[in-house]
Amino acid sequence: MLILSARRRPPGRGVPHRLFAVGALIATVSAIAALAGVVVLAPRWAATQPDRMMLASVVAVGFTLSAVVLCAGLLALPGVSETGGCVLRHVLDALVIAAALWFVGSVLISPPTRILGDWSPTACPAILLPAAAAALAIGVAAIVGMRWSGPRRELLLVGGGVVWAALCGTGLAAGICQRGAGLALVSAAGLPVGLLLVAVARRTPHVPGPRDGDVIRRGTGYAFVPMIAMAVVAMYHVLVRGEFTAMGIAAGSVEGLTLVARQYLALLDVRGYALRLADREAHFRELAHTDPLTGVANRRALLQELHHEVASGRPCVLVALDLDGFKIINDMRGHDVGDAVLVEVGQRLRAQLRPGDVTSRLGGDEFAVLLTATGPDEARRIAERLLTVLNLPYERVEGPVVRLSVSIGMAGSAAAPDVPALLRNADLALRYAKQRGKNRVEQYDSDYDQQLRRRTAVEHEMRGAIERGELHLAYQPVAAVPSVRPVGAEALLRWHHPQLGNVRPDEFIPLAEECGQIGKLGAWVLDQACRQLARWLVDGHDVWVSVNVSPLELHAPEYALQVAEALRAHQVPPQRLVLEVTEHAVATDLDELIRRLRALRATGVRIALDDFGAGYSSLAQLRNLPIDILKIDHSLVAEQGPAQPAVPGRRAFAPMVDIVMRLGHQLGLEVIAEGVTNQAELAVVVEAGCRFGQGALFGWGVPAEHLEAMLDAATSQGSRALPAPRPAPDGRLALPPAPSSPATPVSPAGAGPQVEGDLPTRGVQDLGSVDSAREIRQA
């Protein structure tokens, strides 16, 4: 049965089966030889003692060899011994038990105890080998049973069968050489029982137990129980005045040597285990301080180095880096390309630094470099070099070459009392670099703290500004030229805080866009502007009001409904409301912008393109945009220098204004000149054919009641105010022509043409605030 079972197993998985088959075969041959010898020697049993001794020795050797092979099969079972070292440990553990059994047995069968009485083996040395093999089998079966972590049914059957076969071999040898044929026949008859147990157990499906690689295992009682048993038996033997024979002393010596060898192996195991733990700890420590993607240090490692440098008192500089536009790379090219860029950034940073400097990735596209033993000047040169290196194209990525810029902020340890302050200073410098246009290096300055506190205070106070009544609208008139009559107004948002004072729109509007408050502010401005426009219309003033629109508001799906609701709530004719969109909104998403503008025009309002000429719009975009009005940027009106005034024989002329006017008229658009500050610029826009102007020459942003006074004054002079813009059949804005007037005389000193209703020039005012699109940027 065992041979057939071994032949059915695959070559790589049948080692235990082959060992059991070989051991069973040796035991069977030895038993047959023993039975044959008994049959031959039985007629003259008492006279054949030397022959029986020879036969018993042959049988003892055979069964000893069989027991050793069967024990090897036990140790080769799956899940018992995974390595050669594990086999050696099991063998030594089994020898501890076997030697203890041998010692206890030798003492108990020796005088004066002689626990077996007449059955004590005194005249048959051949019994020693199979008895030792049986003790070893018991030890191996016990150790394997203790180490086995799976189901024990199969293991108990196999171990019991091996032990039983070894004991039968001992009985055969003892019967042949000392106790007679009866014991030999009984032992031979019992041998098939043990082998059958092994065969039946090996035919059942094997379920290996879980492997346990830990050298610190449970179940160490096997080392103490044998020693206690030996000590108790030895003490008893001494008390009964027994003598220790050579076999007992040999068993005790084997026990001691085995325990020493086992302890030495355990020491080696623990030492190796400790080394493996140290290696794993070093590996995990490295992982804990290393960024897994780029291989550079992570935030934890950087903080550790920062604390070390600051504690040592040596000067150091922390350089914070942030990749500009990296999110676009991830969105457009995928995260694989983004990861490849980050890996190359880490490689470039490490290649440019000195020994002792630390490169780290803080997260996302943020990196930091710690420059040790470095002054501000040298750190600045290194930062500039890093800026140049990181701006080079990234050609190792798949697809088109990636180009990125980087913003860098620097902070030295001399200006920071501790590590958190140093990190905060570097972050402030990096933020300042981004605010100043990106792709630059900025060094920390104490003014950044004041700016940050101001920014934080503005952002915090802005959230309740509407509820506290701190906001109000100012209205800058839009005048018809050359009559200089107010025909419309642009609503400008103003904020006066009790502690912060007057907060400029270019300060709090970008913050509102960043923190998500722009929608709330825009809705309030739209409601207040429509409310005031309704009052003016009820009072008989023929005006329109324009409101600036943020790109974030414009791209909100509900904004068109919000505009329609405001018009309905205040009963304002839609054509009286003009929504101004800056060229910056055109540069974001043209197709989406066109859809939003068409939805707004469907409500009846007019659309104006503000800041035209600031550098975003192209002619192709201008043709496709559903707009009604062009507002010429002040930079085109002033042309970065004085316009040519009108003198005898030469008319006032500004080429860019003239070109924009012709373009607007060709596209069927009305044109409003922004930022008109003096008579010379007024003469230029009038000469170019522009009918509407806005700027300091016509009035600043004033409260509603002041503008209403201007409207009353213009009406009381008997002049006819221009009606509000009205839609033409093609859907574009149609403004009535300006009233005819006699030829405009030329003012003295080339100040430009004098027109009816000219306002005095306000030369002492801050001309930087005349451009409403820069004063209030809701867009």
Side-chain angles (χ1 to χ4, degrees), residues 685-773:
V685 298
V686 170
E687 187 64 33
C690 184
R691 298 194 299 148
F692 300 95
Q694 184 177 351
L697 187 62
F698 312 114
W700 299 95
V702 294
E705 51 271 19
H706 291 187
L707 183 62
E708 186 172 354
M710 296 172 60
L711 296 174
D712 292 335
T715 304
S716 65
Q717 292 175 0
S719 55
R720 180 174 59 87
L722 291 179
R726 303 185 184 280
D730 60 355
R732 295 192 177 272
L733 188 67
L735 294 176
S740 59
S741 60
T744 56
V746 178
S747 62
Q754 287 285 25
V755 295
E756 179 185 357
D758 272 344
L759 295 177
T761 303
R762 299 170 174 84
V764 297
Q765 299 189 28
D766 180 13
L767 299 184
S769 64
V770 300
D771 186 356
S772 62

Side-chain angles (χ1 to χ4, degrees), residues 348-420:
R348 293 185 184 185
L349 289 176
R350 283 184 292 188
Q352 296 298 319
L353 298 182
R354 309 160 305 171
D357 296 339
V358 179
T359 303
S360 63
R361 180 184 176 216
L362 304 182
D365 59 345
E366 297 181 8
F367 289 81
V369 174
L370 176 61
L371 303 176
T372 58
T374 306
D377 296 336
E378 184 180 2
R380 180 81 183 193
R381 290 193 296 270
I382 296 176
E384 294 286 355
R385 187 169 70 245
L386 294 179
L387 182 68
T388 302
V389 170
L390 296 180
N391 275 330
L392 296 177
Y394 294 83
E395 300 177 351
R396 300 180 186 177
V397 300
E398 297 182 1
V401 176
V402 173
R403 297 181 183 273
L404 288 175
S405 63
V406 62
S407 299
I408 299 179
M410 300 168 43
S413 59
D418 51 22
V419 171

Side-chain angles (χ1 to χ4, degrees), residues 354-528:
R354 309 160 305 171
D357 296 339
V358 179
T359 303
S360 63
R361 180 184 176 216
L362 304 182
D365 59 345
E366 297 181 8
F367 289 81
V369 174
L370 176 61
L371 303 176
T372 58
T374 306
D377 296 336
E378 184 180 2
R380 180 81 183 193
R381 290 193 296 270
I382 296 176
E384 294 286 355
R385 187 169 70 245
L386 294 179
L387 182 68
T388 302
V389 170
L390 296 180
N391 275 330
L392 296 177
Y394 294 83
E395 300 177 351
R396 300 180 186 177
V397 300
E398 297 182 1
V401 176
V402 173
R403 297 181 183 273
L404 288 175
S405 63
V406 62
S407 299
I408 299 179
M410 300 168 43
S413 59
D418 51 22
V419 171
L422 182 58
L423 290 168
R424 176 176 171 274
N425 294 347
D427 186 64
L428 283 177
L430 175 60
R431 185 183 303 180
Y432 193 64
K434 284 189 168 294
Q435 290 177 355
R436 296 193 63 185
K438 303 179 180 179
N439 195 27
R440 60 189 300 118
V441 178
E442 289 292 340
Q443 192 165 359
Y444 169 76
D445 189 274
S446 58
D447 292 341
Y448 297 168
D449 287 328
Q450 299 179 2
Q451 296 176 12
L452 178 61
R453 285 194 292 269
R454 170 79 177 184
R455 177 187 177 92
T456 304
V458 169
E459 180 178 348
H460 179 268
E461 297 297 327
M462 179 175 54
R463 298 182 181 275
I466 295 177
E467 290 76 7
R468 295 190 300 268
E470 298 170 358
L471 300 180
H472 66 277
L473 294 183
Y475 297 89
Q476 187 176 30
V478 177
V481 295
S483 63
V484 197
R485 295 191 186 95
V487 294
E490 181 177 356
L492 309 176
L493 182 59
R494 296 291 183 262
W495 180 16
H496 179 77
H497 189 271
Q499 285 77 37
L500 301 176
N502 291 321
V503 186
R504 293 177 57 87
D506 56 3
E507 181 181 3
F508 71 83
I509 292 299
L511 280 179
E513 292 180 338
E514 291 181 13
C515 65
Q517 291 292 306
I518 190 63
K520 182 178 180 181
L521 293 181
W524 184 85
V525 170
L526 179 64
D527 180 77
Q528 294 297 313

